[in-house]
Amino acid sequence: MRGLVGIAVAAVATFVTGTLARPLIVNPGTADDIVITEHNTINSTSKIQAQGANPLEVDVVNNFGSNQMYLYITGTDSNGVACLLGPDGNFFYPNAGGSAIPVPIQGDYKISLGGVGSTTKVTLPDFLISSRIWVAEGELQFFTLINGDGKTVIVEPSVSNPSDPSASIKWGFVEFNWNNGEIYANITYVDWVGISMGMALTLGAGQTQVVKGLKGGAVQHICNDLNSQNSRDSAGWDKLCMTNGNGEALRVLSPNLRIAGDPTWQAEYYNGYIDKVWSKPTPAT
Ligand SMILES: *[C@@H]1O[C@H](CO)[C@@H](O)[C@H](O)[C@H]1NC(C)=O
Ligand SMILES: *[C@@H]1O[C@H](CO)[C@@H](O)[C@H](O)[C@H]1NC(C)=O
């Protein structure tokens, strides 16, 4: 089966800073500031995962803005090797040169998107799983290393690390597995939101499934709502909003991702409630 994934990218409006709001301001660092977790790595395995060619066409519609946008596709191929899609339509294999610490991936693995209103078409040559389609306003930085088993690891931009080298770029991704003609894909709005993305899947028979995703400007609205909630209870909701130095909203984290980066955040949030619950079953005297 030949599938087609269409992705639409909507505008993110400028963030309006509230008087009490103290967002998490990003400060992009270098390779030394990278935090490696299971959420921002793709590890090669030694397992052969599939055989045979199965192309997948991906159409990306740019509804975002006038700055140059780039597309990146990451995943593991049918031999279990971590790779990206190159602009020539072939898989691109990073070379860490034996480094055990993250080094920038050398070579051409970014795909330029056309301007506002245009559709950019790329075709995945074959099977790719643990995959992400990244769309960014500007260039993202991917790194690579060789792990203890001698396998290539791709280190991706991190959504939750404010010092990640790509932290000041607006980006979003869609996750998918393209496995011998079967596709699983989602817009992953469980852990965070960045650039608003919607998705349509067209099957060979012409049936289409659509996931609309968030509206353009949603990141700003979510930040505004978090700020007003914070002005009511001062519980730190404003810290879920990540902005650049100009106060522009870049992305919003879910509480679980925020806690992963700062275990003290809302650590006492439920204390009052727990005390109330404990006060109920007072033993009879
Ligand atoms: C990949 O391997 C690194 C260690 O090299 C580990 O920290 C990370 O969690 C692994 N990623 C995944 C997705 O399993
Ligand atoms: C999204 O899809 C990917 C690929 O199938 C899967 O690994 C991931 O768990 C899914 N994420 C969510 C939030 O459902």
Side-chain angles (χ1 to χ4, degrees):
M1 187 190 68
R2 188 181 172 91
L4 185 149
V5 181
I7 293 169
V9 182
V12 177
T14 308
F15 176 66
V16 182
T17 337
T19 39
L20 288 168
R22 287 154 297 140
L24 197 62
I25 300 171
V26 301
N27 182 19
T30 66
D32 294 342
D33 299 295
I34 290 173
V35 180
I36 293 180
T37 71
E38 60 179 315
H39 300 297
N40 70 333
T41 45
I42 309 177
N43 295 339
S44 301
T45 66
S46 43
K47 216 172 101 211
I48 294 188
Q49 310 181 94
Q51 276 163 358
N54 260 307
L56 174 71
E57 185 182 316
V58 179
D59 291 358
V60 183
V61 182
N62 179 3
N63 293 324
F64 191 82
S66 53
N67 294 332
Q68 179 64 53
M69 309 281 294
Y70 293 102
L71 169 72
Y72 304 84
I73 301 185
T74 54
T76 58
D77 74 2
S78 57
N79 295 312
V81 182
C83 61
L84 296 113
L85 181 70
D88 63 358
N90 295 314
F91 288 137
F92 171 94
Y93 295 91
N95 180 355
S99 176
I101 55 162
V103 289
I105 298 179
Q106 303 295 335
D108 195 11
Y109 56 90
K110 68 173 193 289
I111 298 167
S112 301
L113 285 193
V116 180
S118 72
T119 299
T120 304
K121 289 179 188 288
V122 295
T123 300
L124 273 190
D126 201 357
F127 179 102
L128 195 72
I129 63 169
S130 306
S131 325
R132 288 175 173 170
I133 298 173
W134 306 71
V135 172
E137 185 187 44
E139 290 185 41
L140 294 178
Q141 297 182 53
F142 291 81
F143 293 80
T144 184
L145 58 91
I146 296 289
N147 69 13
D149 299 330
K151 305 263 183 243
T152 300
V153 177
I154 294 179
V155 184
E156 306 171 326
S158 159
V159 68
S160 54
N161 175 8
S163 302
D164 185 274
S166 303
S168 63
I169 303 289
K170 291 178 186 164
W171 53 268
F173 62 60
V174 164
E175 289 190 325
F176 72 102
N177 280 338
W178 174 236
N179 181 355
N180 291 333
E182 285 187 354
I183 190 159
Y184 295 89
N186 59 53
I187 50 178
T188 67
Y189 284 173
V190 175
D191 292 325
W192 61 281
V193 289
I195 284 181
S196 298
M197 290 170 82
M199 179 171 63
L201 176 68
T202 306
L203 306 174
Q207 299 146 282
T208 300
Q209 292 176 0
V210 178
V211 185
K212 286 194 172 163
L214 294 176
K215 288 198 270 191
V219 166
Q220 178 204 322
H221 290 300
I222 295 169
C223 284
N224 290 351
D225 287 351
L226 288 167
N227 290 341
S228 17
Q229 181 59 35
N230 196 64
S231 61
R232 286 196 286 276
D233 65 9
S234 302
W237 300 107
D238 49 345
K239 287 283 190 288
L240 296 175
C241 182
M242 288 174 103
T243 72
N244 64 18
N246 300 329
E248 261 186 293
L250 301 169
R251 58 196 78 93
V252 183
L253 302 183
S254 68
N256 67 314
L257 276 191
R258 182 74 187 95
I259 290 168
D262 174 10
T264 65
W265 183 83
Q266 288 199 345
E268 319 227 303
Y269 184 72
Y270 284 107
N271 284 7
Y273 181 71
I274 292 167
D275 288 347
K276 259 195 195 161
V277 172
W278 276 110
S279 72
K280 290 283 179 196
T282 313
T285 48

